[in-house]
Amino acid sequence: MYQFLAYCGYCAFTNFPQNVMSDYYGGQTTTTLMNLIGSLVGYLITYFVVAPRIGKLKSVKRTGLAVGVVALLFSASICVVPPTMPTLWCICFVFVLITTQLWGCFFATMLIGNWFPRRKGTVMGLVTMAFPLVTGIGLSLFFTHFYSKFGANMALYHGDLAKAVVRANISAFSPYWIAALIGWLICAIFLKDFPEQCGAYRDNDKSFTPEMAQQMMIHEIEARKKSVWKRSKIWGCKDWWLMAIPNSLLLSCAMAFMVQIMAVLNGYGDQLAPLAIPGFILTNTGVNTVLFGLSIFAMFGSWLLGVIDTKYGTKTAEWWVGFAVFITAIMMLAAGIFGMINNAFCAVAACWILGLFMGASSNFGLSAIVRYWRQEDFPSVYSGAPPLGTVIGAVFPFLVATIAAKFTYTGAFLFVAIMAVICIVCNRLFNPLGIAKYDNKLREAAGLPADDLLVERYEKEKAAK
């Protein structure tokens, strides 16, 4: 619940300003540029400030809660700054992007790795349903109901645009801000850094006695302080790059379109009108029907690919096995091909396919690191990895908006198809045994005994499948 609600806040306060509020605060190019700046700064803070200290943090939970308070404050600020002060609003939005990324996508997500090291695919498949739920159904309500009906329309009746926009912001964002606050309170009251600290068991595996679980936790905490996977060492691991490139491209392409999904669909507004289903707020226009369908597809895809990820992993030796990343890359290629056809219903199909893997693609960055690294090395790799995902994720919304401005969104979908091919090639070249060999090389250089733990884990999973 904590992770789900933190994701709801992160998605709403980073996505909706670019989709809807950009009209009042500088336009799509300005908001996507702010997204680029905020995401890059957020990563630099993670890489240079958090990563060197991650093994020594006394509590990831408490640090995350502190960042969460700041994120909630800045998220409230973009609601009350009027469009007559666009520079101040842009500055606040950059801080929203920095702090919500650190809180929801880093510190909160790290707890999933601590609590569910083996079931992380299934758990992330559930919590990342927040992305399609907020982007699809939430965006429909935000734009057509809260933002227009309860906010702008009421204030515009008095002829004051600035007041109209502020009232619309407050009306529309309040449910998501309150949801994020509830998530923060759940963590503050009920959660600990490790399940053993509150009498629970990792993955709900009760085959260990509480005393054994406590000893394992203590050993892991100490081992984290001596992790050989320092930031500089990760850059030299070839298979990390082959794993990270498709994971980063999948998520970045999905999110780049979702933050401007209204612009994509509004281009076919008249042609989508027959899809409207009167009498239901989420389908009373053609665009709303598409967004509602996107949410349904995306929540299903997030759950399904999360289960596949847990069962089959993010890589397996056989070509025919339907493992998660490969399936997702094929979906991305299909979305790109459909989107290149300048037709309303092909555009709908492309958006629904994008939605199908949007939530799932959020799983893989965490899931792969938990699966292919030692548990004690997970925080070091997760926080100190090269800025591939963050840089791509920051650049792509701006890049897609730029391509669309020059060649329309059919050109942007061609770009997605090309990225999908790169994902497929990298995924097929990735070998988990390369990580295991590199791990032993680092251990030997650090004076630690080499072992076959990662090789044995891979062989055991392969045999089980």
Side-chain angles (χ1 to χ4, degrees):
M1 289 176 66
Y2 170 48
Q3 179 71 83
F4 180 88
L5 294 172
Y7 276 164
C8 284
Y10 165 75
C11 190
F13 283 97
T14 58
N15 181 321
F16 295 174
Q18 297 178 72
N19 256 312
V20 179
M21 297 168 69
S22 59
D23 291 342
Y24 303 106
Y25 295 98
Q28 196 94 55
T29 304
T30 298
T31 53
T32 53
L33 179 60
M34 295 305 105
N35 180 77
L36 171 60
I37 295 170
S39 299
L40 288 178
V41 173
Y43 176 76
L44 292 174
I45 293 172
T46 303
Y47 190 75
F48 289 106
V49 179
V50 178
R53 299 164 177 82
I54 194 67
K56 300 175 183 177
L57 279 181
K58 291 184 178 180
S59 174
V60 170
K61 168 199 163 175
R62 287 199 296 268
T63 306
L65 288 175
V67 176
V69 169
V70 180
L72 287 168
L73 291 174
F74 277 113
S75 296
S77 73
I78 64 169
C79 298
V80 298
V81 174
T84 53
M85 304 172 69
T87 302
L88 177 60
W89 186 90
C90 286
I91 293 171
C92 291
F93 184 47
V94 167
F95 279 103
V96 167
L97 292 158
I98 294 169
T99 54
T100 56
Q101 176 189 180
L102 285 169
W103 176 40
C105 299
F106 182 75
F107 286 110
T109 304
M110 281 193 68
L111 294 182
I112 298 288
N114 289 349
W115 281 67
F116 300 98
R118 287 188 294 107
R119 304 292 298 176
K120 72 281 175 190
T122 302
V123 174
M124 287 297 290
L126 293 173
V127 299
T128 53
M129 286 184 183
F131 290 114
L133 186 66
V134 173
T135 301
I137 296 175
L139 185 56
S140 293
L141 290 172
F142 182 93
F143 183 66
T144 62
H145 201 59
F146 292 114
Y147 204 76
S148 299
K149 184 176 179 180
F150 292 157
N153 287 349
M154 289 174 63
L156 280 176
Y157 180 74
H158 298 93
D160 188 335
L161 178 62
K163 183 187 290 187
V165 172
V166 170
R167 184 174 293 182
N169 293 343
I170 295 172
S171 300
F173 273 116
S174 293
Y176 307 100
W177 193 91
I178 293 170
L181 176 62
I182 292 172
W184 188 96
L185 291 171
I186 287 172
C187 180
I189 297 170
F190 298 109
L191 295 183
K192 302 291 184 182
D193 283 86
F194 295 91
E196 294 86 355
Q197 293 173 332
C198 54
Y201 297 84
R202 298 186 194 194
D203 298 302
N204 275 345
D205 183 357
K206 298 182 181 180
S207 61
F208 302 99
T209 65
E211 292 75 20
M212 293 169 62
Q214 283 287 336
Q215 287 300 315
M216 291 170 63
M217 180 192 71
I218 293 170
H219 172 76
E220 182 180 317
I221 292 173
E222 289 302 313
R224 287 183 175 189
K225 299 176 183 177
K226 303 174 184 177
S227 173
V228 297
W229 284 87
K230 308 301 181 186
R231 291 174 298 163
S232 58
K233 304 299 182 183
I234 302 173
W235 289 82
C237 181
K238 178 193 71 174
D239 286 287
W240 181 89
W241 289 96
L242 292 174
M243 177 205 74
I245 288 172
N247 290 348
S248 302
L249 291 178
L250 289 169
L251 179 59
S252 299
C253 283
M255 296 307 293
F257 270 87
M258 291 308 156
V259 299
Q260 44 203 307
I261 192 73
M262 294 297 290
V264 177
L265 296 178
N266 284 336
Y268 298 99
D270 293 338
Q271 298 176 56
L272 296 177
L275 295 178
I277 304 173
F280 182 39
I281 188 174
L282 296 177
T283 59
N284 57 6
T285 69
V287 171
N288 278 0
T289 301
V290 175
L291 289 174
F292 181 68
L294 183 150
S295 291
I296 301 302
F297 274 93
M299 286 188 287
F300 173 75
S302 184
W303 167 79
L304 178 64
L305 289 169
V307 171
I308 292 173
D309 182 15
T310 294
K311 188 172 182 179
Y312 293 110
T314 49
K315 165 74 181 179
T316 186
E318 296 81 8
W319 272 90
W320 57 269
V321 174
F323 58 94
V325 171
F326 186 71
I327 289 177
T328 308
I330 294 298
M331 289 180 182
M332 181 169 154
L333 179 59
I337 292 172
F338 275 111
M340 284 188 289
I341 303 170
N342 190 14
N343 174 276
F345 296 101
C346 287
V348 170
C351 290
W352 281 359
I353 296 171
L354 278 169
L356 196 60
F357 72 79
M358 176 184 65
S361 61
S362 308
N363 307 353
F364 301 140
L366 170 75
S367 179
I369 293 174
V370 174
R371 182 178 293 274
Y372 297 120
W373 274 264
R374 301 167 190 271
Q375 186 66 14
E376 62 264 28
D377 294 323
F378 153 68
S380 297
V381 179
Y382 190 65
S383 62
L388 184 63
T390 305
V391 170
I392 293 176
V395 170
F396 271 26
F398 181 73
L399 183 59
V400 166
T402 303
I403 293 173
K406 189 172 181 63
F407 301 106
T408 75
Y409 279 102
T410 56
F413 275 109
L414 171 61
F415 172 75
V416 167
I418 294 170
M419 295 300 102
V421 173
I422 295 173
C423 289
I424 293 169
V425 172
C426 289
N427 180 259
R428 299 320 308 164
L429 294 174
F430 169 63
N431 184 1
L433 295 179
I435 294 173
K437 293 176 182 178
Y438 192 79
D439 175 73
N440 270 332
K441 180 180 177 182
L442 295 179
R443 291 176 66 83
E444 290 174 6
L448 297 173
D451 63 44
D452 293 327
L453 174 66
L454 298 181
V455 176
E456 291 170 359
R457 184 194 299 174
Y458 171 74
E459 294 296 339
K460 183 178 178 181
E461 288 192 358
K462 182 179 175 182
K465 295 171 180 54

